[in-house]
Amino acid sequence: MMDHSFLCVLGLFWLYTLLCTGHTQGAVLTIDPNWSTFYTGESVTFICDMKEGTNTDWKYRILKDGREFIPYNSNSRFTLKLLYISYKDEYQCCGRLKTSHDSKCSNKIFLNVRADKPRAEVTAGTTTISVGGSVTLSCSVDNSAGWKYQWFRRTSHTSEFNFKTNDEQNRIISVSQGGIYRCRGERGDPAFYSDMSHEASINITFSNQVVVTRQPDWPQIFSGEKITLTCEIQGGETTEWMCVWRHLGSIMAQISSKQLTFTVSERSSGDYQCQCKRRDDSYSSTKWSEAIRLSVSEDEAKATLTADSSILPAGGSVTLTCSLKIPAGFTYNLYRNNYMKQSDEPGGVFKISEGGKYTCRGFRRDTNFITSFSNTVFIQQTVSNRVTVTLQPSWTLIYRGETITARCEIQEGGGTQWTYEWSTTRLNRPPSFREHRISRVTDSGDYSCRGRRDEFYLTRWSDVVSVTVSASKPRARLAADSSILPAGGSVTLTCSVDHSADWKFNWFRDGSVYPAAQLRNNNEPGGVIRVSQGGLYRCRGGRGEPVFYTEDSHVVTIEETLSMKPTVVLQPSWTLIYRGETITVRCEIQEGGGTQWTYEWSTTRLNRPPSYREHRISRVTDSGDYSCRGRRDEFYLTQWSDVVSVTVSADKPRPVLSVSPSWLSPGSSVTLRCEIKPPSAGWRFYWYKAVPDLLNNRYSYDLLPGSTAGTEHDSYIIHGQTHTAGYVCRAGRGDTEYHTDYSEVKFLWSADVHPAASLTVNPDRVQHFTSDSVSLNCGGNSTKWRVMRFTETHHLSRCSSWGRMTGSSCNMNMNWYHSGVYWCESGSGEFSNTVNITVQNFYDGVILVSPVHPVTEGASVSLSCRRRKQNTLSSVSFYHNDKLLQHDGREELNISAVSQSDEGFYKCQHAGKTSQQSWMSVTAVSRPESSSFPVLLMVGSVIGIILLVFLLLLCLCKRSKDLCCIRWIQSQSSSQSSSSHPGVNQNETNQYSSPLHDADESRDGTYSLIELKHFGKKRRHHEPEESCVYSEVKTGTAESTPVYAEINHENKGKAKRKNKKSTPVYAEINHENKGKAKRKNKRKWSPAAGDAAVYSEVGLGAALDNNAAM
């Protein structure tokens, strides 16, 4: 007892160990029988195997469609003895250990139960077998398994009986008898039966060949003759057969004999077939035999006599053949001139060597049957004389009004009296004389003749001669080797009449010089002449006696060319225009003098080319190549001009605007460029500033200064722009000005914040995860705002498309972030500063935490790296412009006093993951007290000259009430120098670009502001603006680059007056390298010149006023 308890405890411990160590196996549910489909009334057993322990260790339950069907019990097998349709469902078993109550569940099994009782189906193999063979029958129940089958047979004379039991499957059986068969399926215990199958009638057809023979075997017989038909079954000679005969598809009689003997009549003709059945099996029969055809002639039998030739050559022979349609059993007799010549010839072929009249008939000796006489065949003997048809004149093609004679010539005829026979293709009554005149259209055709002497002697037929009589009068055909007569040259003319000969030709020339037709080269037989004059030419042909003339040929025009070559001129000279524009093409003939010209145009697309000197082009269908020439009088014309191509576009052009630079430092100049694509000429350009229209969700456009009448140049320079702005351009041309569409809005972005409109980001960093909650906040002098975005995929949209706008804040939707630039637009038309936002899409990626706004020079800044769910990271590597800057255990990169050198790209790296790089801008702090030192360092050796200029300007400013403001004027080249800043580049290449600091960018411009404060009297209000004084100092650069010093001086102790503009004074310094000769033809600088300028800006004793330079 203790041993048994110990073993139980040990077994439980082992089972518990398996469960705890994870080595248990999943439970398995199976069904018995394992059928895919069950039917109502059958039974099924569920078997649940836990795959561990013994069956007594578990309790089991059955789930049906996830709900308890059989509660927990100790039986691992459960039987549903009577299935219903409601049991159709998905089943699963679960086991629970009796000791620990641990449980697990098995796989799921779908129990398919069908309410309809299945029906068995009988399928038969081929029922065409040879005698002694068998037919295969199969029984099946669809979509289920486990069946055994019972078979039943009956005939039309016997009742149904079971001839195969269910002690084995019996799915496929073989039978050698025909009959009506059925089957049914049986399976399970107790037995479940399917419905009986439908009846299958099995008619066995024996494949043995059946042949009908006849005696006598004549293909055609006559009424009154007797014939015997026999039905022969190959391979079935020992079987007793009962045969059926069919004539013309109808059953004749059913007799026990295989032979049918009868006397034929005219109604006996037709096809005969037979079919036989076994006497002991009415469901087994042969196939119908092939039909044998019996032909009983209804007409009188008449022989046919043919000859291989009706002409018997001298010394030769002719073969005659006497035949019947059905020649069986016949011999033949031949008769000449009604007398028998040969008799009883079985083949019916006779050779003769005499001319005469021949007939024949057939004879069947067995029945003494004689046919009627055949047709008559005449055999004529030929003579050797040769016969020829001759034509006089020898024209095979003549025309109505002409006549020729056809003659039959017999050589060596001597004095023999011949009669003539003609063979023609079209004459109903061929001529019978030696000669025949041909002149009518109906006389056309082939002619052949022969001569006859006595009754059976004649010549051979002559060769055929074809003659055509045309009903229409022919027209001469005139051709020229060229229709253009070169100066001093000639043209060859050829006159001909198609398909006929013996013509002589008359030539005519009509022209403005000769008022009437003139006869040239009359009766020239050659048909070819050369002419050296322009004019209208024609010809005609003539032949015969009296002369028969053709119709005159069509006129051929010969034109003389002049050496002049016109030119196609466009006014305006635009080869590409647009629907709504009009240009004029003009044909210009130089050295034309007072000649009266008419004009011809050659175009590629116009159906009716213009005929005037000028043609207006305005429609799309007018597009194409244009060429022209001039015509003077009737036969003189110029050469064709060169081709000019003109395109009229159906689409209105839309210019492409580019802004350079796309990111701006305050005070820098901006260049707008407007391009028409494809390029075309004559445009004036109009420049607009985009103003946000929040009410209508669009932009309105304000013309920029100096753009009212348009500009000739496709570029426009904006000075002093400090904040974000949008620009648009369009172009126009023509007297009645035609305008293009407006370009798309292009933006100039600035990171500088100004009071009227500003944008802040929360959290205050450039990079964000897609799961971060980010808000964009607008502030300034407006109550209405919208937030805009321009993505790296070049898509412009407002906050409502990717976030939720609430008042002046835009909360970005989760997972809708896109990297790009963002800014605010106010209801009063202001643009805020622009910020970059970079999105980290990878879940396990890292981001760099860096300020979104520019950092002021001298301020401190901290950069860090973080993951999506980890704010701070240690052991981070920081990079500045792709160079490793810090790599130690610190979490942050701290810069205590930011300088200009710290500006650039930053990124971080942690655990093999690298963030995207972000640009950190540094805003410079003005240091007026030290601003003169860079100037002194730059000007160097010319400091003395600057001091002289400084004293001179002090005097001038004193004289103009103590204030002189020197404004520096930017040349085109300096204004186009780009200010690099991160963001989206929106020129025509549409590239998303990072801040660019081009190492090759020109550094010719140096700026310094000299601000003077004077001690003395206070200035009176409303004093006039002082004039500007310029001082120019030359240096030795190749382009004579001027250096300008802007000097702003004030009286010390006096408050600076607001809104008071001072006129700038410029000092231009020209410095040259020693040892180099000054270049000749140096350009004198002007504010609009393209030479690079160097500006010196010096502030003395006062803070730098940035507004002074604007």
Side-chain angles (χ1 to χ4, degrees):
M1 185 67 179
M2 291 181 61
D3 294 337
H4 185 268
S5 300
F6 176 75
L7 290 175
C8 291
V9 171
L10 184 61
L12 291 173
F13 175 75
W14 174 77
L15 179 61
Y16 178 76
T17 303
L18 288 177
L19 291 173
C20 293
T21 56
H23 293 287
T24 59
Q25 300 182 18
V28 176
L29 175 64
T30 58
I31 58 173
D32 183 30
N34 188 16
W35 300 336
S36 61
T37 303
F38 293 85
Y39 300 90
T40 55
E42 291 189 294
S43 63
V44 65
T45 298
F46 295 98
I47 303 171
C48 191
D49 186 358
M50 292 293 107
K51 293 297 182 181
E52 56 181 294
T54 63
N55 291 342
T56 59
D57 296 332
W58 298 85
K59 285 190 175 183
Y60 306 88
R61 69 170 178 171
I62 306 295
L63 301 178
K64 177 175 179 286
D65 192 22
R67 294 185 294 273
E68 187 173 76
F69 181 59
I70 304 297
Y72 277 113
N73 60 81
S74 299
N75 296 320
S76 63
R77 300 170 66 92
F78 177 76
T79 301
L80 295 176
K81 293 186 177 181
L82 191 61
L83 292 177
Y84 297 97
I85 190 64
S86 61
Y87 289 159
K88 179 180 180 180
D89 217 323
E90 189 174 66
Y91 291 85
Q92 185 181 27
C93 78
C94 294
R96 184 177 64 194
L97 275 173
K98 295 178 180 178
T99 57
S100 66
H101 296 288
D102 290 333
S103 64
K104 60 180 178 179
C105 294
S106 71
N107 55 298
K108 295 179 180 179
I109 291 180
F110 184 78
L111 184 65
N112 186 20
V113 182
R114 295 178 56 178
D116 52 328
K117 195 172 184 180
R119 179 179 295 278
E121 182 179 356
V122 175
T123 305
T126 178
T127 57
T128 300
I129 62 174
S130 61
V131 176
S134 62
V135 175
T136 299
L137 302 179
S138 64
C139 187
S140 63
V141 178
D142 288 342
N143 302 322
S144 54
W147 297 95
K148 296 180 180 180
Y149 299 92
Q150 295 179 343
W151 290 91
F152 303 86
R153 178 181 180 269
R154 71 176 180 86
T155 67
S156 58
H157 305 294
T158 63
S159 60
E160 186 175 67
F161 65 96
N162 183 354
F163 69 96
K164 290 284 186 180
T165 61
N166 62 344
D167 55 352
E168 56 185 17
Q169 284 193 355
N170 291 329
R171 182 177 180 276
I172 299 175
I173 63 172
S174 297
V175 297
S176 60
Q177 288 182 303
I180 300 172
Y181 290 85
R182 292 198 302 168
C183 72
R184 71 177 177 181
E186 170 191 352
R187 72 176 182 181
D189 186 15
F192 175 82
Y193 294 99
S194 71
D195 285 342
M196 279 284 193
S197 69
H198 296 294
E199 292 183 343
S201 181
I202 305 301
N203 294 286
I204 297 177
T205 301
F206 296 118
S207 59
N208 302 60
Q209 187 174 5
V210 182
V211 179
V212 177
T213 62
R214 69 181 181 180
Q215 189 63 35
D217 189 16
W218 295 339
Q220 185 176 28
I221 60 176
F222 301 94
S223 296
E225 293 186 288
K226 183 177 287 188
I227 189 170
T228 298
L229 304 180
T230 303
C231 192
E232 298 182 355
I233 302 168
Q234 297 180 1
E237 292 81 1
T238 61
T239 305
E240 293 188 11
W241 302 97
M242 202 169 74
C243 300
V244 177
W245 291 90
R246 188 163 64 184
H247 175 229
L248 297 177
S250 300
I251 302 298
M252 291 179 58
Q254 182 170 336
I255 57 176
S256 58
S257 174
K258 296 192 295 183
Q259 290 186 339
L260 176 63
T261 302
F262 59 97
T263 301
V264 301
S265 65
E266 293 179 356
R267 292 180 298 176
S268 300
S269 295
D271 293 338
Y272 288 82
Q273 292 176 284
C274 68
Q275 183 189 49
C276 297
K277 296 183 179 181
R278 289 172 50 175
R279 288 184 180 275
D280 59 351
D281 184 6
S282 61
Y283 287 89
S284 300
S285 63
T286 66
K287 296 184 291 186
W288 282 99
S289 68
E290 294 292 333
I292 185 171
R293 178 161 294 179
L294 186 64
S295 178
V296 180
S297 179
E298 299 179 0
D299 300 328
E300 179 184 11
K302 183 176 181 179
T304 300
L305 182 62
T306 59
D308 61 351
S309 176
S310 62
I311 305 299
L312 177 65
S317 63
V318 171
T319 299
L320 301 179
T321 302
C322 189
S323 62
L324 292 166
K325 292 181 179 179
I326 308 297
F330 283 96
T331 59
Y332 301 93
N333 299 330
L334 181 65
Y335 300 85
R336 178 179 181 273
N337 296 334
N338 298 327
Y339 292 96
M340 183 181 292
K341 185 172 181 61
Q342 298 180 31
S343 63
D344 205 15
E345 183 66 37
V349 178
F350 306 91
K351 279 192 175 292
I352 61 170
S353 57
E354 293 180 281
K357 182 174 69 174
Y358 290 88
T359 58
C360 72
R361 63 181 180 175
F363 172 68
R364 182 174 285 169
R365 184 173 296 278
D366 292 343
T367 59
N368 294 322
F369 179 80
I370 300 177
T371 68
S372 300
F373 278 104
S374 71
N375 56 298
T376 301
V377 173
F378 292 92
I379 303 300
Q380 297 176 322
Q381 286 186 253
T382 59
V383 295
S384 59
N385 302 65
R386 183 177 180 181
V387 183
T388 305
V389 175
T390 60
L391 300 178
Q392 185 61 37
S394 58
W395 304 333
T396 57
L397 172 62
I398 63 173
Y399 302 91
R400 179 183 290 169
E402 292 186 296
T403 300
I404 61 172
T405 299
R407 179 182 294 115
C408 189
E409 298 281 358
I410 301 177
Q411 297 179 5
E412 301 176 0
T416 304
Q417 295 298 316
W418 297 96
T419 58
Y420 296 89
E421 298 178 10
W422 289 86
S423 172
T424 65
T425 53
R426 295 185 60 180
L427 297 180
N428 294 328
R429 298 182 63 186
S432 58
F433 301 102
R434 183 183 182 187
E435 293 185 351
H436 175 63
R437 293 176 63 83
I438 300 173
S439 60
R440 298 172 301 175
V441 174
T442 55
D443 293 338
S444 296
D446 297 335
Y447 286 81
S448 180
C449 70
R450 68 179 176 183
R452 177 182 295 277
R453 189 184 63 193
D454 299 335
E455 186 177 1
F456 300 112
Y457 297 95
L458 45 79
T459 67
R460 297 185 181 90
W461 284 103
S462 69
D463 293 332
V464 173
V465 173
S466 296
V467 177
T468 302
V469 182
S470 176
S472 59
K473 194 172 185 181
R475 180 179 295 277
R477 185 164 59 90
L478 179 59
D481 62 351
S482 175
S483 62
I484 305 299
L485 179 65
S490 62
V491 171
T492 299
L493 302 179
T494 302
C495 190
S496 61
V497 180
D498 292 339
H499 311 300
S500 52
D502 294 342
W503 297 97
K504 295 182 179 180
F505 298 97
N506 300 332
W507 299 86
F508 302 89
R509 175 181 178 272
D510 297 334
S512 57
V513 179
Y514 307 96
Q518 289 193 350
L519 193 63
R520 283 181 52 110
N521 298 353
N522 192 19
N523 291 329
E524 285 292 325
V528 178
I529 63 171
R530 296 186 68 84
V531 297
S532 57
Q533 289 180 291
L536 303 177
Y537 288 86
R538 55 192 172 89
C539 67
R540 72 177 179 183
R543 69 177 181 181
E545 188 64 42
V547 178
F548 174 82
Y549 289 106
T550 68
E551 298 282 0
D552 286 356
S553 69
H554 294 293
V555 173
V556 171
T557 301
I558 304 299
E559 298 174 319
E560 287 191 54
T561 58
L562 303 173
S563 60
M564 303 176 187
K565 184 175 182 178
T567 304
V568 174
V569 178
L570 301 180
Q571 184 61 35
S573 58
W574 305 334
T575 57
L576 171 61
I577 63 172
Y578 299 90
R579 178 184 288 168
E581 292 187 296
T582 300
I583 62 172
T584 301
V585 290
R586 179 185 294 115
C587 190
E588 296 283 358
I589 302 177
Q590 299 179 357
E591 303 175 1
T595 305
Q596 296 297 318
W597 295 99
T598 58
Y599 297 88
E600 298 177 10
W601 289 88
S602 173
T603 64
T604 52
R605 294 186 60 180
L606 298 181
N607 294 328
R608 297 183 62 184
S611 57
Y612 302 101
R613 184 185 182 189
E614 293 184 353
H615 174 62
R616 293 172 62 85
I617 298 176
S618 59
R619 297 172 300 175
V620 174
T621 54
D622 293 337
S623 296
D625 297 335
Y626 286 81
S627 180
C628 71
R629 68 178 177 184
R631 180 180 294 276
R632 187 185 68 196
D633 299 333
E634 189 174 0
F635 306 114
Y636 299 95
L637 44 82
T638 68
Q639 303 174 41
W640 283 104
S641 71
D642 292 333
V643 172
V644 173
S645 297
V646 177
T647 301
V648 183
S649 175
D651 300 323
K652 195 171 186 179
R654 187 174 192 179
V656 176
L657 177 65
S658 61
V659 178
S660 177
S662 58
W663 280 88
L664 180 68
S665 295
S668 297
S669 61
V670 179
T671 299
L672 308 182
R673 186 172 299 280
C674 195
E675 293 185 74
I676 306 294
K677 293 185 178 180
S680 52
W683 297 101
R684 295 187 66 81
F685 297 91
Y686 298 85
W687 311 90
Y688 302 86
K689 188 171 184 178
V691 180
D693 184 355
L694 273 60
L695 180 62
N696 298 307
N697 282 325
R698 63 182 182 87
Y699 292 98
S700 60
Y701 306 139
D702 292 344
L703 272 170
L704 291 174
S707 180
T708 304
T711 63
E712 293 183 0
H713 298 290
D714 62 354
S715 62
Y716 184 89
I717 298 174
I718 300 172
H719 301 285
Q721 181 66 36
T722 59
H723 305 303
T724 299
Y727 297 98
V728 171
C729 74
R730 71 169 176 172
R733 68 180 180 183
D735 295 336
T736 302
E737 193 164 24
Y738 170 85
H739 289 98
T740 67
D741 285 336
Y742 289 97
S743 70
E744 293 183 355
V745 178
K746 294 295 181 179
F747 293 95
L748 171 69
W749 292 306
S750 174
D752 284 356
V753 178
H754 62 100
S758 63
L759 170 63
T760 59
V761 180
N762 186 21
D764 185 13
R765 63 174 183 260
V766 175
Q767 298 186 17
H768 301 270
F769 293 106
T770 54
S771 58
D772 291 342
S773 176
V774 179
S775 65
L776 307 174
N777 304 299
C778 302
N781 302 330
S782 179
T783 59
K784 292 185 179 180
W785 298 91
R786 69 181 176 194
V787 177
M788 302 298 292
R789 177 179 73 185
F790 193 79
T791 67
E792 58 188 352
T793 57
H794 325 304
H795 179 65
L796 177 67
S797 59
R798 58 182 180 271
C799 173
S800 58
S801 301
W802 38 266
R804 186 176 67 259
M805 194 77 191
T806 304
S808 61
S809 297
C810 171
N811 296 311
M812 299 175 69
N813 294 334
M814 290 289 189
N815 300 320
W816 277 77
Y817 301 168
H818 286 278
S819 296
V821 292
Y822 294 74
W823 68 93
C824 295
E825 295 175 356
S826 71
S828 58
E830 297 290 340
F831 289 89
S832 75
N833 57 300
T834 306
V835 298
N836 263 320
I837 291 180
T838 304
V839 178
Q840 173 57 267
N841 292 310
F842 296 105
Y843 182 81
D844 59 345
V846 296
I847 65 171
L848 175 71
V849 178
S850 62
V852 72
H853 295 296
V855 180
T856 304
E857 188 176 13
S860 62
V861 67
S862 294
L863 307 181
S864 62
C865 200
R866 59 168 290 187
R867 288 183 179 274
R868 189 177 295 267
K869 294 185 178 180
Q870 191 172 358
N871 289 335
T872 58
L873 301 173
S874 58
S875 299
V876 177
S877 299
F878 292 94
Y879 293 85
H880 178 218
N881 294 332
D882 288 329
K883 292 183 179 180
L884 182 61
L885 188 63
Q886 177 178 302
H887 179 61
D888 50 27
R890 286 179 290 175
E891 299 174 349
E892 295 181 342
L893 172 63
N894 295 308
I895 304 174
S896 58
V898 175
S899 64
Q900 288 292 332
S901 62
D902 295 319
E903 188 173 70
F905 284 109
Y906 287 85
K907 64 182 178 181
C908 67
Q909 188 178 73
H910 174 75
K913 303 292 184 180
T914 304
S915 72
Q916 300 184 57
Q917 60 181 359
S918 292
W919 178 267
M920 186 178 76
S921 296
V922 177
T923 302
V925 175
S926 302
R927 296 179 177 84
E929 296 177 358
S930 60
S931 60
S932 61
F933 291 101
V935 177
L936 296 176
L937 293 176
M938 285 184 292
V939 298
S941 60
V942 295
I943 189 62
I945 300 174
I946 293 178
L947 292 175
L948 292 175
V949 173
F950 173 71
L951 295 174
L952 177 62
L953 294 178
L954 281 177
C955 296
L956 292 173
C957 290
K958 182 72 174 176
R959 196 172 300 134
S960 56
K961 300 187 187 296
D962 299 332
L963 180 62
C964 182
C965 177
I966 307 175
R967 302 178 187 268
W968 43 275
I969 300 175
Q970 297 171 318
S971 67
Q972 290 183 355
S973 61
S974 65
S975 66
Q976 293 176 0
S977 62
S978 54
S979 175
S980 301
H981 198 284
V984 178
N985 184 0
Q986 46 179 344
N987 58 20
E988 64 273 17
T989 59
N990 287 326
Q991 298 290 329
Y992 183 84
S993 67
S994 300
L996 301 178
H997 288 268
D998 194 345
D1000 296 330
E1001 185 177 346
S1002 174
R1003 299 299 183 190
D1004 291 338
T1006 303
Y1007 307 91
S1008 180
L1009 174 64
I1010 303 174
E1011 183 174 355
L1012 304 177
K1013 290 194 175 181
H1014 296 271
F1015 299 89
K1017 296 180 291 182
K1018 288 188 178 180
R1019 183 178 302 165
R1020 290 178 298 173
H1021 292 286
H1022 308 293
E1023 291 177 348
E1025 184 173 291
E1026 286 80 22
S1027 59
C1028 294
V1029 180
Y1030 296 84
S1031 177
E1032 179 176 349
V1033 182
K1034 298 296 182 178
T1035 63
T1037 60
E1039 296 295 331
S1040 299
T1041 304
V1043 179
Y1044 293 92
E1046 180 177 339
I1047 305 166
N1048 189 3
H1049 52 89
E1050 297 183 9
N1051 292 332
K1052 201 167 188 180
K1054 295 182 179 180
K1056 186 182 292 185
R1057 296 177 179 175
K1058 296 183 180 179
N1059 301 323
K1060 184 70 173 181
K1061 292 187 178 180
S1062 300
T1063 306
V1065 179
Y1066 288 82
E1068 180 175 342
I1069 305 169
N1070 191 0
H1071 49 87
E1072 58 179 288
N1073 296 329
K1074 291 183 178 182
K1076 293 184 179 180
K1078 184 180 293 185
R1079 296 185 180 179
K1080 296 179 180 180
N1081 301 323
K1082 289 187 177 180
R1083 294 179 293 173
K1084 185 176 181 180
W1085 181 86
S1086 66
D1091 302 317
V1094 178
Y1095 300 94
S1096 180
E1097 180 178 337
V1098 181
L1100 301 178
L1104 178 66
D1105 184 3
N1106 289 331
N1107 291 328
M1110 298 175 60

